Amino acid sequence: MSGSLWRHRDFMVLWSGRTLSEVGDAVSLLVIPLLAVTVLDASAVEVGILSATRMVAYVFLSLPAGVWVDRMRKRRVMVLCHLVRAGLVATVAVGAWAGWITMVQLWTVALLSSVCTVLYETAHQSFLPSIVRKDQLLDANGKLATTYSVSQIAGYGVGGALVSVLGVARTAGVDALAYVLNAVSLLLIRGADEPPVVTRRRDFRRELGDGLSFVFRHPVMPRLVAASASFNLFSQMLFALAVLYLVRDLRLSESMVGVVMGLTTLGGIAGGLASTRLARLVGTARIIWVAPLGIGWTVLLVPAAEPGWGPAAYTVGMAGMGMLFAIYNAAVVSYRQRVCPPELLGRMTASVRFVIFGVMPVGALAGGLLGSWLGVRPTLWIAAAGVWASGLLLYFSPLRRWRDLPDEADAPTGGQPTSFPAPHGRSPVDPAGKAIGGVRGA
């Protein structure tokens, strides 16, 4: 029997600190695009570039980040990343207050923040298995997914209110403080931050190849990576144009943009709370394709929205996508953490993220370019259809014939119908994460 995480001190500290930083981060994800659209009158292309620069580091740094993180103490990496991000966001607050903010500055801050995000998220997913047991990972990841969605509601709601009361400059400073407090909370964790495994000879290229080899020779992971990449590509087209669409097409005020974006995260809360129970009820393999095809169609309501009743349709559509990603992410991330050897966790995580997050800046930039060329609404139709159709990659695969995913990496590689028992009475399952304006495939 697994112990309750509610009585697990180190996890509760980690969870609380991450919640606080994500509330602040949601404020920033609202304020910075609003700053670009309302103060700097940014175009669709400029907004797309802003979204892309927040994620471009995944293309260039994901693979080496895995090697670096496996060579260092994870908690130390996470603390340093938070402090650097606090300084970066503080420059936005100062620039907005002084009146010399520019798009170049926002792009630069977004780019450097993306470097910190890659290192932090890689370290975090590698750090979690060191403080909770394997049979607690599904519960832990489900709680983290739920918390992310709750934090988005709080962050967007608080951010919209603070913008109305304090203005964008002071509101941007809230995020910097949240990062500092989260860095402090990480230092309160008592559990040992395991030192990296030291080998006689450290060959960077070989260590890099070990992570890639584990992922792409695995019988299950390549199929999950392909689907996650497709989800992220099309969802980022949606997120890149979200604020522009709400302000200029649906004609919402700045404070209402915060309210609507906050409400869209209700789906993520519901999905995070239900992820563990649904995985056990439906099957850990089956839920991975049932969720996208059963819930993903709701995102088609987003481009169908019109002024007046449109905000409700937009909210339902984005909430449906949030529910889908929360259920999918909890299953996929926990599964990766279970089957990967501890010494490879950082490199495995980085190898997966290199692909699935590497497409995100491409999606954001494509959203901006297509929005400028075809128009915002036609681009959203393409993106919404792409999100739903991504589930077909999972349906037309051996996953459709399985009820549960295998616990170890010795599953059959062919497409024969196979049923794998859930290990230890639990279903082996698997970011979030998060992206500008919303959730993303794990």
Side-chain angles (χ1 to χ4, degrees), residues 4-23 78 82 120 124 127-128 131-132 136 138-151 178 181-182 185-186 188-189 269 272-273:
S4 172
L5 290 177
W6 293 105
R7 296 189 293 272
H8 194 302
R9 180 191 178 279
D10 284 349
F11 175 76
M12 294 302 295
V13 172
L14 178 70
W15 190 17
S16 301
R18 188 174 176 92
T19 301
L20 180 62
S21 73
E22 285 176 346
V23 170
M78 294 159 66
H82 275 317
Y120 172 82
H124 184 273
F127 182 65
L128 180 61
I131 64 171
V132 302
Q136 295 174 315
L138 174 56
D139 190 18
N141 282 306
K143 283 181 167 57
L144 290 171
T146 304
T147 299
Y148 169 68
S149 298
V150 173
S151 301
L181 293 177
N182 193 13
S185 73
L186 288 169
L188 300 177
I189 295 176
I269 295 175
L273 290 172

Side-chain angles (χ1 to χ4, degrees), residues 100-409:
W100 45 257
I101 195 77
T102 65
M103 284 303 302
V104 173
Q105 181 187 356
L106 294 183
W107 291 335
T108 302
V109 168
L111 176 63
L112 296 177
S113 295
S114 74
V115 173
C116 294
T117 299
V118 170
L119 293 170
Y120 172 82
E121 294 293 340
T122 302
H124 184 273
Q125 283 201 8
S126 304
F127 182 65
L128 180 61
S130 71
I131 64 171
V132 302
R133 299 194 309 267
K134 280 190 175 185
D135 63 339
Q136 295 174 315
L137 282 171
L138 174 56
D139 190 18
N141 282 306
K143 283 181 167 57
L144 290 171
T146 304
T147 299
Y148 169 68
S149 298
V150 173
S151 301
Q152 297 297 286
I153 289 181
Y156 289 140
V158 170
L162 290 179
V163 167
S164 299
V165 176
L166 303 178
V168 291
R170 293 184 179 88
T171 303
V174 173
D175 192 31
L177 178 61
Y179 282 133
V180 171
L181 293 177
N182 193 13
V184 172
S185 73
L186 288 169
L187 298 175
L188 300 177
I189 295 176
R190 295 174 180 171
D193 187 4
E194 294 296 329
V197 177
V198 179
T199 58
R200 294 182 179 179
R201 181 184 177 185
R202 310 197 74 161
D203 187 326
F204 186 91
R205 185 176 300 177
R206 181 174 181 179
E207 291 180 56
L208 199 68
D210 288 343
L212 287 168
S213 178
F214 178 83
V215 171
F216 292 104
R217 291 184 180 179
H218 192 277
V220 177
M221 283 193 200
R223 308 174 197 279
L224 303 179
V225 168
S228 296
S230 183
F231 282 130
N232 285 345
L233 177 70
F234 290 107
S235 65
Q236 287 310 307
M237 293 173 65
L238 288 167
F239 295 138
L241 298 174
V243 172
L244 196 66
Y245 183 57
L246 292 171
V247 172
R248 295 182 183 172
D249 287 67
L250 301 188
R251 302 169 193 166
L252 299 184
S253 66
E254 294 177 357
S255 59
M256 280 303 298
V257 169
V259 172
V260 168
M261 292 182 70
L263 290 175
T264 63
T265 60
L266 288 172
I269 295 175
L273 290 172
S275 60
T276 302
R277 188 167 297 177
L278 283 175
R280 292 173 179 166
L281 179 66
V282 178
T284 58
R286 193 176 295 155
I287 193 64
I288 290 175
W289 61 263
V290 167
L293 297 181
I295 304 172
W297 66 269
T298 58
V299 76
L300 296 172
L301 295 172
V302 171
E306 295 287 350
W309 58 269
Y314 179 92
T315 300
V316 173
M318 295 299 280
M321 188 169 69
M323 178 180 290
L324 149 65
F325 283 175
I327 295 170
Y328 176 83
N329 288 350
V332 175
V333 173
S334 297
Y335 176 68
R336 291 202 305 257
Q337 290 170 336
R338 287 187 70 107
V339 301
C340 183
E343 66 274 12
L344 275 176
L345 272 170
R347 281 165 285 172
M348 178 277 295
T349 300
S351 298
V352 171
R353 285 170 175 256
F354 171 70
V355 179
I356 68 176
F357 289 170
V359 302
M360 291 169 67
V362 177
L365 188 57
L369 293 173
L370 288 175
S372 178
W373 178 38
L374 299 176
V376 172
R377 193 180 298 273
T379 300
L380 294 180
W381 274 113
I382 294 172
V387 169
W388 181 83
S390 298
L392 296 176
L393 294 173
L394 299 165
Y395 181 77
F396 292 109
S397 77
L399 290 172
R400 180 163 55 97
R401 302 183 180 97
W402 302 349
R403 184 188 187 279
D404 292 296
L405 287 167
D407 186 34
E408 301 297 338

